[in-house]
Every structure is written in structure tokens, then in C-alpha cells.
Amino acid sequence: MARTGRFSHARMMGALVASVAMALSTTSAATAQTTAPASIRDADPQMLLGWASHDLSTMAAEEAAFGRANGMLSTYVDFVQSPQFPHSYADAAAARGSALLIAWEPWDWSRPADQQPEFAPRRIAAGAYDAQLKAWLREAATRTADAEIIVRFAPEMDDSTRPWSSQAGKNATTTPTDYIAMWRHVYALKQAIAPQLVFLWNPLNYGAGPYPFESYYPGAAHVDALALDGFNWGEARPQSPGWQSTEDVFGFTRSDGPVVRLKKLAAGKPWGIAEAASAPDDPTSFLSGGSQYAAWGTWVFQWPENPPYEATADDWITQEGWSRMLIRRARDAGASFVNFFHTVKETDWRLTDTAVGRRVFDEAG
């Protein structure tokens, strides 16, 4: 999913950390500083859980509401509008002992994706942006001792809405081979300059382009970790498929499911969910006359779709239940992390009610 607007990087971190430490009753940023930084690469089976907020001040308020520190901070940068390494987010992650997830997107957020040929993968692979790439990586290298920094470079490549996609405009000529060449070039720079960075290869669950995500895989020697993005769109947009369970979105058990396919590529490397969320719920839409009735009917109130995970209908036809089941299924499938897209964009993806948010995040223990 594209970034949600320019994120604020100019907050005073001392005030932020102090406010979080005062607000949280069980976990504080101050105590997190005494622990080892969280990592998706260690042998600890504990799954990291975090969320992307609109900005750091919003995140601090959400931490207070949910009664827990954000275990994986998430932010977005591009090559033009926000080209600098996000040091304020690295400060916040270090203060909490949390991981930092950065979507590093080679384009200009402010312009249509199909009008940016200057960011074609073949140009990046040929070295056109090496000076910028190297400068950013040098900045990142100065922070790898403070927190584990995970970089989602050119994510969701199997979609059709980025300059690095294979169908970003009717005259697009980018191929998976071009993407792989770009990725390997940037990965080689990363290895030379900031080898401690975790480069995360991150497709969309099903995508909208002409190629399956496996076509873009640059090979195990050029990837540190893998992840998927996926959303239950509900009625958030006219072309959405309607309400879907976590199994529908991620396919944790089906042989052709995105998680099963990703794990085959991972072959033991860390993997997780980098962006996920459910649209707001309306259980009455499953009643006679409701928008979901024709597809599902009222049987959903008596019979869960994917036992044993969904014990009741509320476990999958509500935003809260969907989110809890995602955590449970991902943990049982061996995911190293789950990161929620906790912001407003196409719809309100947030767990906005404090009690609901606490119940969801309590699922992780």
C-alpha cells in the first residue's frame, strides 16, 4: 500500500519518550532501553507486534491507549518528498528497544506512478541513483547498533501502481527481470555499506499485475527476510471482493495461499506480515437485505469459516476478531512479526476504540 502522507520526523524525542513512559502502566520506553533491541532474526520465538501510525505523536497516544509499547515502529520514505533517513524514528525505536520497519520507495509520492520513467528499475540497476542510495545507506549504517532496522525496498512489486511494477501505465515495459536486477544492485550496495540492515522482500498477497510474486524473487543470496501485505477490504472500495477472513486474505493453510507460497521461498529465513488491516465492521450487513447477505447469508452467525481459529462469527466478521485471528494464525504459522497498517487512508483501518485495541494486542501476550 502506498504511503499515507508525509510522516512527521521533527518531533522532540525526549518529550515523546517521557510522555510514553508516564502513560504506559506495564511497558515503558524508559524500561525498554535496558533490554536488548528486538530482532526478527534471533532464535527467540516471540513474534514482534507493531503498527504504523500517522506520526510519532499519534503513535505515543496509541501506545497509551493500548497499554503497550509499539514493538515494531513503521514509517515510509521516498526518493523525492522524504528522501532522508528517518532518524527520529530510529531514536524512538531505540528508546523502546523496538525494531524499525522502513518502506524505502524509489519514486516521487506526489506524482502519478505511470508518469515517472526516471525511476524505472533498469535505471536504478544501472547506477543512476547510486549517490543517493549510498548516502542513505551510510546514514542507516550509523543506526544499526541502536535498533534492528528492516528495510522494505520497493515493496508490493506484484501490484500495478508503482514505477517498479510491471504494469504501471499502459505503456510500461518493466519486467520481473528488471526488478530483480534493481534489487540485486541495491542489495549489493547495502552489503558493502550497511550489512547489518535487514533487507525485506515484500510482495502483495495476490497483487494486480501480470506476474505472480515468485517471478520477482531475487534469490536467497540477495534477501535477508520476506513479508506479505494483505487487507480485508470489506466495503471500503467498490471493486473490493467484500468481507474476507484472514484465511481468505493470506491463505495460511492452502497450497496456493500467499503465506504457504512465501514460506517456500523463505526456506528458513525470517518472514512476517508487513502491512495488514481489516476495514471497519458492520455485522448487520450479513443479515437479510444487507450488502454481504447475497455472498454469505446469515449462516456466518452460526458457523465459523475456519475452525478451530474462528470459534464464533465475531472472530472473523468484526474488525477486532479479524485482527486477533491474524495475530493467532501468523504466530502459529511461524511468522517473526506482524505489523498493522493503523491509519486512515482508503478507509479507517485503525482499531480506534481503546477496549477493542487492547483486546487485539493482548492476543500476542
Side-chain angles (χ1 to χ4, degrees):
M1 179 172 290
R3 61 97 180 180
T4 61
R6 185 165 186 174
F7 286 70
S8 173
H9 302 310
R11 307 296 183 190
M12 294 298 294
M13 291 310 304
L16 170 62
V17 172
S19 67
V20 174
M22 291 174 60
L24 299 183
S25 59
T26 58
T27 305
S28 72
T31 58
Q33 289 178 305
T34 66
T35 64
S39 173
I40 66 171
R41 296 184 292 183
D42 59 27
D44 185 349
Q46 180 69 28
M47 186 177 75
L48 297 186
L49 184 64
W51 63 90
S53 300
H54 183 267
D55 56 33
L56 289 172
S57 293
T58 302
M59 186 191 72
E62 291 163 351
E63 287 179 315
F66 297 147
R68 64 185 299 130
N70 191 340
M72 177 177 277
L73 281 64
S74 178
T75 190
Y76 299 74
V77 298
D78 74 341
F79 273 25
V80 178
Q81 302 300 319
S82 184
Q84 304 302 318
F85 181 84
H87 284 287
S88 59
Y89 275 83
D91 290 340
R96 291 158 173 76
S98 302
L100 173 58
L101 183 65
I102 304 171
W104 192 16
E105 302 180 341
W107 67 328
D108 181 346
W109 288 334
S110 69
R111 296 163 49 208
D114 61 355
Q115 298 175 24
Q116 302 189 42
E118 67 271 30
F119 297 115
R122 62 175 61 89
R123 295 197 71 240
I124 297 173
Y129 292 89
D130 277 8
Q132 180 171 348
L133 292 165
K134 290 176 181 178
W136 196 93
L137 289 167
R138 283 193 290 268
E139 289 295 307
T142 68
R143 306 311 306 266
T144 54
D146 302 322
E148 180 163 86
I149 299 172
I150 306 161
V151 178
R152 306 165 56 206
F153 181 72
E156 298 186 2
M157 72 297 295
D158 54 331
D159 201 10
S160 60
T161 57
R162 310 287 191 280
W164 57 89
S165 301
S166 293
Q167 210 171 30
K170 61 183 179 181
N171 297 317
T173 59
T174 295
T175 68
T177 300
D178 297 326
Y179 181 89
I180 289 171
M182 175 186 68
W183 177 281
R184 289 182 176 180
H185 177 74
V186 179
Y187 186 84
L189 294 177
K190 186 274 291 190
Q191 288 294 85
I193 298 170
Q196 293 305 309
L197 288 183
V198 179
F199 252 45
L200 182 76
W201 184 79
N202 182 190
L204 189 63
N205 56 347
Y206 289 105
Y211 304 102
F213 63 65
E214 290 89 344
S215 301
Y216 298 88
Y217 190 57
H222 309 278
V223 170
D224 300 321
L226 300 85
L228 285 169
D229 295 350
F231 294 82
N232 171 31
W233 287 89
E235 300 177 73
R237 55 183 184 178
Q239 69 271 33
S240 66
W243 195 269
Q244 295 182 302
S245 72
T246 53
E247 177 68 5
D248 296 328
V249 174
F250 287 106
F252 287 101
T253 61
R254 301 192 312 273
S255 61
D256 63 343
V259 162
V260 173
R261 292 160 52 202
L262 189 85
K263 289 176 68 174
K264 287 180 181 178
L265 291 177
K269 290 181 181 289
W271 70 274
I273 307 297
E275 278 189 7
S278 171
D281 60 77
D282 179 14
T284 63
S285 68
F286 294 89
L287 298 174
S288 180
S291 60
Q292 302 296 319
Y293 180 76
W296 294 106
T298 56
W299 67 267
V300 298
F301 294 102
Q302 290 80 41
W303 188 260
E305 191 195 23
N306 295 296
Y309 289 94
E310 287 82 8
T312 70
D314 283 350
D315 288 336
W316 74 279
I317 65 169
T318 65
Q319 188 184 47
E320 175 205 338
W322 192 98
S323 303
R324 286 190 293 103
M325 291 305 107
L326 174 63
I327 294 171
R328 188 177 302 179
R329 281 184 171 274
R331 181 180 57 222
D332 290 353
S336 296
F337 62 93
V338 169
N339 187 71
F340 283 92
F341 190 71
H342 197 263
T343 190
V344 179
K345 191 169 177 277
E346 299 87 354
T347 188
D348 190 345
W349 299 106
R350 299 170 302 171
L351 300 164
T352 51
D353 181 88
T354 299
V356 168
R358 284 177 180 264
R359 284 195 295 269
V360 168
F361 290 116
D362 283 350
E363 182 68 37

